[in-house]
Amino acid sequence: LALALAVPAAAQSPEEQLAAASALFNEKKFGEAAQRLESFLTANPKHAKAGPAALALARSYVELQQWAKAVPA
């Protein structure tokens, strides 16, 4: 897991990006998770897991109490 987090998001597969974001969320690193999820969604808007990623992004923003960003996500 530490290796996955050390690799730049652009060098990771979409699945690796989501796994890294999930790990960050579980570690309560919501800001970092949101950044990873935003990158994933920007690069992969039609990915099969784009919907769950958008939901996870919204949950990250809720945890950060960034309500305005949580609603459109």
Side-chain angles (χ1 to χ4, degrees):
L1 179 63
L3 274 179
L5 298 177
V7 178
Q12 295 178 323
S13 72
E15 290 74 19
E16 290 169 329
Q17 289 176 7
L18 288 176
S22 178
L24 289 165
F25 186 92
N26 290 338
E27 294 170 11
K28 301 189 184 311
K29 296 179 180 178
F30 304 116
E32 293 175 59
Q35 289 175 346
R36 290 285 181 121
L37 290 162
E38 287 175 357
S39 295
F40 169 82
L41 289 167
T42 298
N44 306 285
K46 303 234 186 254
H47 191 279
K49 294 186 179 176
L55 179 59
L57 178 58
R59 289 182 61 206
S60 296
Y61 285 137
V62 166
E63 292 293 340
L64 294 167
Q65 297 184 3
Q66 294 182 3
W67 317 118
K69 288 184 177 181
V71 172

